[in-house]
Amino acid sequence: MYHWILLGIEPTQDKRAIKLAYTQLLKQTPPAEFPEEFKALRKAYDQALKEVSFSDDAENDTPVMLNDVLLKEHLPQLDTDIENMQAEVFFESSASSNHNIDDDEPVEFSIIKTIPQLNLALKQLYSDTVDRHNLEKWKMLFAAPIFWDVNQSNTLTENLLGFFSNHYFLPENIWIFLDNSLRITDGLSTSSNDTTRQTAIALSRYIKTLPKRISDGLVKNISDDVDFKAFHRHLEIRSYIEDKCLYDTFTAEAVEDIVQQIEPEFKADFSLYDYIVKYLWTINGYSSIRRILTPLTIPYTEESLLNYQAHAEYKLKNYELALNLYIQQELNYRDFCTKVMFKNIGLCYLKLNNFEKAYLYLDAETHVVADMEIEVALITARRGYIRELRADETKNAIKIATLLYENGRYQDALSITEQYKHVFKEQANYLQALCLCKLHRLDEAYSEFLLFIELYIERQLWLWPLIVELLRYCYDLVTYELLVDTLQEHVVTFSNFYKTAFFSGSIEPRCYTEQEMAILELANEQDSGRRSLESQWHTESMQIFALAILCIRATELVDYTEHSVVDNYQRDALNYVKEIKQFMLYNPTDCLKFLEAAFDQQDYDTCIMLADISIKALRTAPQAYYFKGCALLELNEYDQALESFKQAAYEYNTHPYAVHSLNSAIECTAKLIEQGLSYQATHNDLCLQLQNKKEIVDGQ
Amino acid sequence: MDNSQADLMLKSQSLTNKQKQWLISLSGYLSMQNGYSLDCLLHKSKTYPLQAIVNGNIKVLKNGYDIHSKADLVETLDVFTNTARSGQFMNCLVQSVRHDLYIERFFLNQDEDKNNNEYVVREWAEKHNIALSSCGIKGFDIGRSAFLCRCAFTTGLITEQEAWYYLLVLGKIAQQLFIDWQEFGMSHLVGRLTWVGISLAEPADTKRYPNGFDIKQKIQLDVEELTSILADDEHPWCQLDWQIDL
C-alpha cells in the first residue's frame, strides 16, 4: 500500500488518476535533481500500474495475439529503455487502453500549458489516422504555449520522448520534423541524462531506418471501420517483422507463425506480405511463401506478390502451377504491354519438355541484356526442339538448320543445308554460305554467295542484306567484276537500311508467323517481333561497314586515273569507320583493312586508333605496328614510332615489309640522334639487322 | 544417405565409369576452354603433348591459385566451397531483393565507382536474383575446384584416389545446389563474368550504341563457349542425368 501513499491517492483502478498523480509529483521531483526520490516515485507508480494491469488482464476477454515477450526481445535499442520510459509520463498505451479518447473534447492547441493537456492533445492527434499524417497539425501543436515554458522544458522533452517511443507509426516527414524540433539526433542523443540519451539514440536509429521500412506508412485498403486498437496492433506486428528482418535473424517458420496472427481484416495489407515474401525469398523459404500466399486473395494489381508466388512454385518444381500463374500474370499485364512474362512461361515449358513452346516464348523480342537464364534456356530449348523437328527432316530442313546455326552448331547446320540443298535454293536461303563463313571456309562460302546473288537477281529479290553478309566475311575475295557489275549497283543509302533483323540466310524478317502468334495468344502484329541475334545497332553497323568496305575495295580493284576519286573513296571509308568506332573495337581484324587509307588521307589519329585495336586483340599484327609507326613518324613522335617499327620488323619476319620497317626504324633513330639523344647504339644495331634482313628477303 | 568423410572415402573407391565421368564433367567449362577431354581424369588434349599440359597445369596451380602442395589444394577447395566470392554475390542478391536493404544500399552507394568489383558483382546479382536465388555463383567455384583437382592429379600433387574423393565431395555439394547441368552452367558463367569483371553499366556514349551493344560484345565469347557445350548432344552435360546416384 505504500505506493498509493507515496502517490498521494487512494487505491484506484483508474490509470488516468494514477498517471495524473505521478506526473504532478514528477514535476516536483525532476529525476536529474532528485534521483533517489524519483526512483521511489517511479517504483510506486510502476507498482500501482501493475495492479491495474493485472486487474485489466483478468477482465479483458481479448486474447493477446502477439507475444509481448517476443516483442520486447526484438526491439532494436528500443527495448528496455523505451519500455521503462513509456509508461512514465503519458496516459495510456493504446494497446491496453480501456479509455476512449473520443470521450474527451478536442484540445485547443493554443491553450496547452500543462503536460497533461499536452498528452491529451498528443493522444488525440495521434489517434486520428488522418490528422496524424498532417504535418501542419503537428507544427501547430508544437507551437503551443507549453513549448515556450522554459521551466517545463526538461520534463517536456522527457515526456515527448516517452510518447513518441510508444507512438512511432508516423510518416517520414513528420519524423523529420520531430527530429529537428526536438533535436533527437543532434542534441538529445548526446544528453548527459542516461535515460534521455538512450531513448533519443533509439529513436534516432528508428528514424534513420524509416526509408527501409514498408514504404507506405498507412495500411492500404483497410476499411475505415477497423477499430484503432486492432489497427495499432497490426502496425505493431508490422514493426515487429521489420525489426526482426532489419536487426535479427528470422526463420521461415517464425515468419509463418507471425503471419498467422494477422487478423482477417488485415489480409489486404499486401505491402506487408510483399515485404515478408521478399525476405523469405532471400532465405529460400519457397514453401513458406506458398503457404502464406495460397490462402490470400491477391488482386491482380499486386504484381510483385503474384510474380513471387509464381517464382516460388517454379523453385518448388511445380512447373504446371507456376506456368498457370505466369500465364495469368501475362494476361494481367496485357492492358499495358505484352510478353512481360514470356521468359518465365518459356522456362516452365522447358521444364515440362514442351520445347516448341519453350523456344517460341523464349525467343520473344526483349530488351534485356546479359540475362544468362534466357541464354541457357534458349540453347536448351533449341536443342530439344531440333530433336523433335528431326522427326520430319525434309519438311523442317530450314528450321532445323536455322536453329542449329543459332546454337552455334555450324557443321551440323551445314550438313543439313548440303543434304537439302534444293529446299534452301527454292526458299532463296543462303544459310550454307553463312555456315561456311563461320567454319572459315571462305572460298566455298564466296562461291555459294555468288550462286545466291544470281538467284536473287533472277527472282528480283532484295540483294542488299545478302551483300552485307558477303562483305562481312568475304570482302577480300570480291572481284572487280562482282564489285562493278553487281555490288555497286545494289548499294543502298542510310535511309534505305534494313532496320529489322532477318532469319539467318534469308530476307524473311524475324517475326512470329500467324500460327505462332496464335500459340502465343498474341493478336497485334506489332507484337510479332522476335529476339534478334544481334542488336539493331549491330545491324546498322554491319551495313555501314559494308559501305566502308565497298569504298576500300573500289580503291584496290579499280585503276582510277584521277587521284581525287581514290581520295574520295578513302575519305568516305574513313568516315564510315569512325561512325562505327565501337563496332570496329570488337572486330580487330577488320581494322587492318583501313590502316593504309587512314595513313594516305593523313588521318593519323584514326590510323593509330585502328592500329591499337588490332595490336591489343590480335596475336600478331605487323601491318598495324607498321602503319602506327608511320603515323607516329609523321607526328614526330620518333621514340614511339621506333618501337612500333621494331615490332613490325620482328612480326613481318622475312616479309619484304620487314625491310621497310627497319628502314623506317633507322629513320627514327636518325631523327632522335639529331635531337641529341643517345640512340647511336640502337641505330647501329638496326643497320646490322637491316643488312641481315635484306639478305634473307633477297634470297627468297 | 551417409555423407561422412569415411563414407565418401569408401564410395570414392568404387565409383562406376558413369559416376566418374559425371564427376569429371563438373570441370566441363574450363576443360572445354583449355581443350581437355572429359573421358578420363588425367588432363588430355588433342593439341598438346602430356608434358606440355603438365607444365601448364603446374603454372595454373602455382601462379593462378598459389597451390604448391596437397595442403594448399585442400585449403583452396575449402575456400571455394565455403567462403569464396559466392558469399559476396549472395549478399548482393539479397540486397537487391529486399526493399529495406536495397534502400540502404542505394543511399550508401550513390557515388560508387561503377567499375569497382563490388559494383560489378552487384549488377550481376541483381539481374539474376530470381534465377540464382538458391545457388548463387557456386557453379563457378565448383567448376574451378573440379578443374584444380584434375590439375593436381595431372601434376602428381594428389593420387587418383584422392582426386576421386575430392571430386565426390564436390559432386555431392553440386547436386544439392543445382537442379540440372543447365543451371550449373548458368551459375558457372555468371560467376566467371563477375570474376572477369564485365560491368553491366552502359558506356558513356550510349547515343549510338544503346541496349547493351557493348555488353553483348564483351560477353559474346563466353556465351558462345557455354553454347558449344549445351548445344552439343554428345557433350556429357547433355548426356548424363544430373541426379545420378553418387
Side-chain angles (χ1 to χ4, degrees):
Chain A
M1 289 298 287
Y2 175 73
H3 50 280
W4 297 115
I5 297 166
L6 201 65
L7 286 168
I9 53 173
E10 291 295 318
T12 176
Q13 296 296 313
D14 185 350
K15 283 184 182 175
R16 282 190 71 192
I18 297 168
K19 288 180 181 177
L20 192 58
Y22 171 69
T23 48
Q24 281 172 346
L25 287 169
L26 194 64
K27 281 186 219 168
Q28 299 161 24
T29 53
E33 291 175 42
F34 307 99
E36 292 308 315
E37 288 81 350
F38 170 73
K39 274 185 196 169
L41 177 64
R42 168 67 197 272
K43 200 173 170 187
Y45 169 69
D46 284 346
Q47 187 64 33
L49 278 183
K50 203 172 167 186
E51 280 185 27
V52 176
S53 298
F54 184 78
S55 169
D56 275 357
D57 286 349
E59 289 169 19
N60 198 349
D61 291 333
T62 312
V64 176
M65 294 189 298
L66 194 65
N67 186 335
D68 283 343
V69 177
L70 272 178
L71 255 181
K72 282 180 186 172
E73 273 176 11
H74 83 274
L75 283 169
Q77 306 295 322
L78 291 168
D79 50 9
T80 51
D81 307 330
I82 290 182
E83 289 294 311
N84 289 339
M85 278 290 292
Q86 67 185 27
E88 288 178 13
V89 279
F90 63 92
F91 293 139
E92 296 160 2
S93 70
S94 57
S96 60
S97 170
N98 289 328
H99 171 67
N100 187 353
I101 49 165
D102 292 339
D103 294 347
D104 293 310
E105 286 295 312
V107 178
E108 190 70 44
F109 292 163
S110 60
I111 59 144
I112 297 172
K113 289 180 180 165
T114 65
I115 297 285
Q117 284 175 325
L118 174 66
N119 285 334
L120 189 56
L122 283 166
K123 192 75 181 176
Q124 285 175 344
L125 181 52
Y126 187 84
S127 305
D128 188 319
T129 51
V130 177
D131 280 353
R132 192 205 309 192
H133 290 75
N134 186 340
L135 179 61
E136 290 308 311
K137 290 275 180 188
W138 288 97
K139 284 182 176 172
M140 282 163 63
L141 175 60
F142 272 62
I146 192 171
F147 288 92
W148 299 95
D149 186 349
V150 179
N151 294 331
Q152 293 195 74
S153 64
N154 282 347
T155 321
L156 181 68
T157 302
E158 285 174 22
N159 183 62
L160 288 166
L161 283 182
F163 179 86
F164 290 113
S165 301
N166 200 41
H167 297 78
Y168 45 88
F169 301 120
L170 291 164
E172 195 177 356
N173 63 331
I174 309 260
W175 267 119
I176 290 167
F177 165 72
L178 293 172
D179 196 12
N180 290 332
S181 302
L182 296 172
R183 300 191 63 236
I184 297 171
T185 304
D186 292 341
L188 300 178
S189 293
T190 53
S191 165
S192 56
N193 182 312
D194 288 349
T195 312
T196 303
R197 187 180 64 254
Q198 284 167 16
T199 312
I201 289 171
L203 280 178
S204 178
R205 282 184 164 215
Y206 179 75
I207 294 165
K208 281 178 188 163
T209 58
L210 274 172
K212 296 197 257 174
R213 293 172 187 272
I214 298 171
S215 51
D216 56 345
L218 269 181
V219 182
K220 287 178 185 168
N221 306 322
I222 297 292
S223 159
D224 291 340
D225 301 331
V226 172
D227 74 291
F228 181 76
K229 194 171 155 186
F231 184 80
H232 192 275
R233 195 66 181 161
H234 179 71
L235 290 177
E236 276 187 336
I237 292 172
R238 266 185 155 207
S239 188
Y240 174 71
I241 290 169
E242 285 171 335
D243 288 337
K244 285 290 270 186
C245 292
L246 283 167
Y247 298 98
D248 208 344
T249 322
F250 220 7
T251 63
E253 294 74 24
V255 174
E256 282 190 67
D257 280 350
I258 291 296
V259 169
Q260 278 176 3
Q261 297 183 48
I262 296 173
E263 289 200 54
E265 57 194 321
F266 293 110
K267 293 286 183 194
D269 184 2
F270 294 113
S271 55
L272 175 61
Y273 283 102
D274 192 58
Y275 186 90
I276 290 168
V277 162
K278 284 177 178 167
Y279 174 79
L280 286 170
W281 185 264
T282 62
I283 56 169
N284 300 341
Y286 311 126
S287 306
S288 297
I289 292 174
R290 174 202 281 167
R291 281 193 291 271
I292 287 172
L293 295 186
T294 303
L296 300 180
T297 309
I298 308 170
Y300 75 93
T301 47
E302 296 297 328
E303 297 159 9
S304 171
L305 210 49
L306 289 165
N307 286 345
Y308 273 90
Q309 187 177 27
H311 296 331
E313 294 297 347
Y314 183 84
K315 290 283 178 185
L316 292 166
K317 300 185 185 175
N318 297 318
Y319 300 122
E320 287 278 6
L321 188 51
L323 176 64
N324 290 334
L325 289 168
Y326 284 132
I327 289 174
Q328 187 55 51
Q329 274 295 78
E330 171 67 21
L331 296 175
N332 290 342
Y333 281 116
R334 281 282 160 99
D335 287 343
F336 308 101
C337 50
T338 53
K339 305 179 188 174
V340 179
M341 306 307 291
F342 268 30
K343 170 191 157 184
N344 302 90
I345 295 171
L347 290 171
C348 289
Y349 277 124
L350 185 60
K351 295 295 180 195
L352 294 165
N353 291 334
N354 187 335
F355 297 112
E356 182 184 6
K357 280 194 173 183
Y359 170 64
L360 287 178
Y361 275 100
L362 292 167
D363 201 45
E365 191 176 27
T366 172
H367 297 295
V368 177
V369 178
D371 184 337
M372 292 303 127
E373 192 175 31
I374 290 189
E375 298 289 347
V376 167
L378 249 178
I379 300 164
T380 313
R382 285 194 202 108
R383 194 167 65 85
Y385 191 27
I386 291 166
R387 270 205 311 271
E388 290 177 354
L389 290 170
R390 279 194 193 272
D392 190 348
E393 214 169 74
T394 315
K395 185 183 161 197
N396 299 316
I398 290 184
K399 222 174 203 177
I400 294 169
T402 306
L403 288 167
L404 284 166
Y405 182 83
E406 288 177 5
N407 253 5
R409 308 294 301 167
Y410 304 124
Q411 187 59 53
D412 295 342
L414 180 64
S415 301
I416 297 285
T417 59
E418 286 171 342
Q419 193 177 345
Y420 298 97
K421 206 171 177 65
H422 61 287
V423 178
F424 284 85
K425 192 176 173 190
E426 194 181 296
Q427 297 294 319
N429 188 309
Y430 56 91
L431 191 63
Q432 186 174 354
L434 294 182
C435 291
L436 289 164
C437 289
K438 291 287 185 185
L439 294 165
H440 306 293
R441 291 159 61 178
L442 296 184
D443 288 330
E444 295 166 74
Y446 184 69
S447 303
E448 272 302 309
F449 275 126
L450 290 184
L451 287 175
F452 276 90
I453 285 173
E454 226 170 89
L455 184 76
Y456 270 49
I457 292 172
E458 187 186 311
R459 293 192 194 174
Q460 296 185 321
L461 296 171
W462 194 27
L463 200 54
W464 177 240
L466 192 153
I467 291 174
V468 171
E469 298 276 21
L470 164 72
L471 294 174
R472 179 77 200 85
Y473 297 103
C474 305
Y475 49 76
D476 277 335
L477 299 174
V478 170
T479 59
Y480 172 85
E481 290 75 21
L482 182 69
L483 179 80
V484 175
D485 297 343
T486 310
L487 302 186
Q488 288 184 338
E489 292 286 308
H490 291 86
V491 167
V492 304
T493 56
F494 273 58
S495 57
N496 291 325
F497 276 0
Y498 51 86
K499 301 281 188 285
T500 53
F502 302 108
F503 280 107
S504 305
S506 87
I507 49 170
E508 189 189 334
R510 280 187 66 85
C511 291
Y512 291 119
T513 62
E514 268 183 40
Q515 195 188 353
E516 288 166 342
M517 292 280 277
I519 292 172
L520 302 170
E521 295 181 49
L522 292 171
N524 295 328
E525 203 184 323
Q526 63 191 35
D527 291 328
S528 64
R530 298 178 68 149
R531 189 176 195 265
S532 301
L533 294 187
E534 303 290 357
S535 67
Q536 187 189 330
W537 305 94
H538 190 273
T539 308
E540 187 185 294
S541 299
M542 289 250 294
Q543 294 174 78
I544 296 173
F545 177 78
L547 293 179
I549 278 291
L550 278 175
C551 291
I552 289 295
R553 286 302 280 163
T555 63
E556 290 172 350
L557 295 171
V558 185
D559 190 14
Y560 294 107
T561 48
E562 289 187 30
H563 281 297
S564 63
V565 179
V566 176
D567 284 345
N568 284 340
Y569 271 128
Q570 285 190 333
R571 274 198 291 270
D572 284 349
L574 292 175
N575 286 336
Y576 291 138
V577 166
K578 282 189 272 190
E579 186 77 8
I580 53 169
K581 185 180 161 187
Q582 200 75 2
F583 175 85
M584 298 306 292
L585 199 63
Y586 295 100
N587 294 283
T589 311
D590 300 325
C591 291
L592 302 173
K593 199 73 190 157
F594 301 93
L595 289 170
E596 194 172 350
F599 182 72
D600 286 351
Q601 293 306 312
Q602 299 176 8
D603 189 347
Y604 303 127
D605 287 342
T606 304
C607 184
I608 293 169
M609 175 197 82
L610 293 169
D612 280 339
I613 293 172
S614 307
I615 288 167
K616 199 175 168 190
L618 302 176
R619 194 169 287 173
T620 58
Q623 58 274 63
Y625 281 110
Y626 179 75
F627 279 106
K628 186 181 177 183
C630 292
L632 289 165
L633 189 60
E634 292 297 328
L635 294 169
N636 300 334
E637 302 281 351
Y638 303 121
D639 50 347
Q640 288 183 50
L642 171 63
E643 292 308 314
S644 286
F645 284 128
K646 277 163 72 177
Q647 188 62 28
Y650 172 75
E651 289 191 5
Y652 270 127
N653 196 9
T654 56
H655 189 279
Y657 261 74
V659 175
H660 295 314
S661 303
L662 285 172
N663 269 326
S664 300
I666 290 165
E667 192 184 334
C668 289
T669 52
K671 294 279 184 189
L672 289 162
I673 291 165
E674 270 178 32
Q675 289 175 359
L677 298 166
S678 56
Y679 275 84
Q680 193 58 54
T682 315
H683 183 82
N684 294 343
D685 184 44
L686 286 169
C687 287
L688 198 63
Q689 279 187 43
L690 178 64
Q691 198 179 340
N692 292 336
K693 193 70 79 179
K694 265 184 178 169
E695 281 173 21
I696 296 167
V697 172
D698 290 345
Q700 283 178 349
Chain B
M1 193 185 292
D2 187 5
N3 283 334
S4 67
Q5 188 176 348
D7 183 59
L8 290 180
M9 193 70 86
L10 198 66
K11 271 185 191 166
S12 67
Q13 290 169 16
S14 56
L15 292 168
T16 64
N17 286 338
K18 206 167 190 176
Q19 287 170 324
K20 284 180 177 176
Q21 201 193 5
W22 194 98
L23 293 173
I24 291 169
S25 299
L26 288 174
S27 69
Y29 191 91
L30 278 164
S31 296
M32 177 272 303
Q33 283 188 314
N34 289 280
Y36 300 148
S37 61
L38 293 174
D39 54 4
C40 68
L41 184 61
L42 195 75
H43 274 157
K44 275 198 317 186
S45 159
K46 286 176 187 168
T47 321
Y48 302 105
L50 183 60
Q51 193 51 51
I53 292 173
V54 170
N55 293 341
N57 282 191
I58 289 171
K59 270 188 190 166
V60 167
L61 290 169
K62 284 185 179 172
N63 302 341
Y65 299 92
D66 201 22
I67 295 172
H68 303 266
S69 64
K70 184 180 152 188
D72 292 339
L73 174 74
V74 173
E75 194 183 322
T76 305
L77 296 183
D78 191 44
V79 168
F80 277 178
T81 50
N82 291 311
T83 57
R85 190 186 295 262
S86 310
Q88 185 192 5
F89 185 90
M90 287 313 279
N91 284 341
C92 293
L93 190 148
V94 169
Q95 281 178 347
S96 73
V97 173
R98 275 179 57 182
H99 165 76
D100 44 13
L101 301 183
Y102 188 86
I103 294 275
E104 184 177 36
R105 188 207 95 179
F106 183 79
F107 282 108
L108 281 178
N109 302 302
Q110 283 184 90
D111 304 319
E112 194 176 14
D113 174 12
K114 290 186 176 177
N115 288 315
N116 80 22
N117 180 264
E118 201 177 332
Y119 191 90
V120 168
V121 173
R122 222 175 3 244
E123 287 176 311
W124 283 99
E126 188 168 346
K127 198 170 264 294
H128 297 87
N129 60 19
I130 302 299
L132 298 175
S133 62
S134 310
C135 56
I137 50 172
K138 280 277 181 191
F140 186 53
D141 294 330
I142 288 171
R144 281 193 299 173
S145 298
F147 184 75
L148 289 181
C149 285
R150 292 183 69 195
C151 282
F153 169 65
T154 304
T155 58
L157 274 188
I158 55 174
T159 65
E160 181 176 355
Q161 195 47 55
E162 286 167 334
W164 289 126
Y165 166 72
Y166 294 130
L167 285 171
L168 186 58
V169 173
L170 290 169
K172 290 276 184 187
I173 296 170
Q175 276 191 334
Q176 285 172 14
L177 280 169
F178 307 100
I179 56 167
D180 50 29
W181 286 106
Q182 283 76 23
E183 191 178 49
F184 174 64
M186 169 176 49
S187 173
H188 187 111
L189 184 59
V190 174
R192 177 178 156 71
L193 292 169
T194 59
W195 182 70
V196 172
I198 304 288
S199 172
L200 291 177
E202 292 284 352
D205 177 22
T206 53
K207 195 177 170 189
R208 169 150 287 280
Y209 297 98
N211 295 335
F213 170 83
D214 216 36
I215 297 159
K216 213 166 176 174
Q217 296 294 320
K218 281 180 190 165
I219 65 172
Q220 191 177 13
L221 186 63
D222 299 274
V223 173
E224 280 175 6
E225 283 172 343
L226 185 67
T227 307
S228 72
I229 294 177
L230 294 177
D232 181 3
D233 287 332
E234 305 302 317
H235 194 278
W237 285 19
C238 299
Q239 294 264 328
L240 297 169
D241 180 11
W242 177 258
Q243 290 301 342
I244 190 174
D245 186 25
L246 286 177

